[in-house]
Amino acid sequence: MLDLSVLGREPTSKEVFKRAPTHLWHPEGCGDIDIRIDGIGQWFHEGGIIRRQGLVRLLASILSREDNDYWLTTPVEKMRIQVEDLPFVITELREENERLVAITNVGEVLDDIEGWTLEVDADGELRPAVKVFDELQARLSRNIYYDLAYRALAEGVERGGVLYWQFAGRDYPLGKA
């Protein structure tokens, strides 16, 4: 069951992001809703930015992807929304005991990142994409990307024209060298 108590207030730092079990729900699509996620992970409704972080977190918890479409899915209906690039942004990346821990712009914690690939972004550039959940992915925030690129350039790890950042014996592609 979705916790609607977050709607009227900002989430606390102690709250854990909880994803709804959208993979268990199979309602019919009931059309489009005027909600859009821009290229830096900001959510908009009818052209205006959604400023309530609790509402963004609630909507993010019911976000799903089928083929190339993004949906807000509940047990009884699903509505298509527009996503300019990828729906989430990694805003914090920590190196903890040989594993990478990331936090997204909606507070979802990715413990020991897997599914780090290069994907073409909305501008046609190859950029890192990190698996968040099922078919949902996140981009690295600009400051994290540039920090990793600086570190990778200092280490000089390049193969096949692709620059890699290395951590704990694993290679993470960052883009064209």
Side-chain angles (χ1 to χ4, degrees), residues 8-167:
R9 62 176 173 76
E10 290 298 312
T12 67
S13 61
K14 294 180 181 179
E15 289 179 324
V16 176
F17 181 87
K18 293 181 181 170
R19 183 166 298 286
T22 57
H23 62 287
L24 301 175
W25 303 333
H26 305 287
E28 291 294 318
C30 60
D32 297 350
I33 186 170
D34 191 4
I35 292 180
R36 175 179 64 88
I37 305 172
D38 72 6
I40 59 171
Q42 294 181 89
W43 289 63
F44 293 82
H45 178 249
E46 295 181 350
I49 191 166
I50 301 175
R51 298 197 184 281
R52 287 185 170 169
Q53 189 61 19
L55 179 55
V56 169
R57 287 171 61 124
L58 177 70
L59 294 172
S61 75
I62 61 171
L63 185 65
S64 62
R65 182 176 179 194
E66 294 177 24
D67 300 319
N68 290 324
D69 291 324
Y70 290 90
W71 302 86
L72 296 179
T73 304
T74 71
V76 295
E77 64 185 3
K78 67 180 182 180
M79 296 164 284
R80 185 179 18 246
I81 68 168
Q82 298 302 309
V83 177
E84 287 181 15
D85 185 24
L86 296 180
F88 302 112
V89 175
I90 293 176
T91 57
E92 187 175 339
L93 187 65
R94 295 190 304 249
E95 302 166 14
E96 295 181 358
N97 302 322
E98 302 294 310
R99 59 192 181 104
L100 285 177
V101 176
I103 300 175
T104 69
N105 58 316
V106 296
E108 187 161 8
V109 177
L110 309 176
D111 193 23
D112 199 14
I113 290 178
E114 294 187 18
W116 181 304
T117 62
L118 284 180
E119 306 261 336
V120 176
D121 70 8
D123 296 326
E125 297 292 326
L126 276 178
R127 291 182 43 212
V130 177
K131 181 180 178 178
V132 174
F133 180 78
D134 287 341
E135 299 294 318
L136 300 175
Q137 295 176 301
R139 292 279 183 216
L140 301 176
S141 68
R142 182 170 286 163
N143 60 331
I144 291 172
Y145 176 80
Y146 284 126
D147 177 56
L148 297 180
Y150 176 79
R151 291 159 63 179
L153 287 169
E155 296 167 6
V157 181
E158 176 189 335
R159 285 189 308 278
V162 174
L163 180 65
Y164 289 86
W165 172 64
Q166 293 183 316
F167 174 73

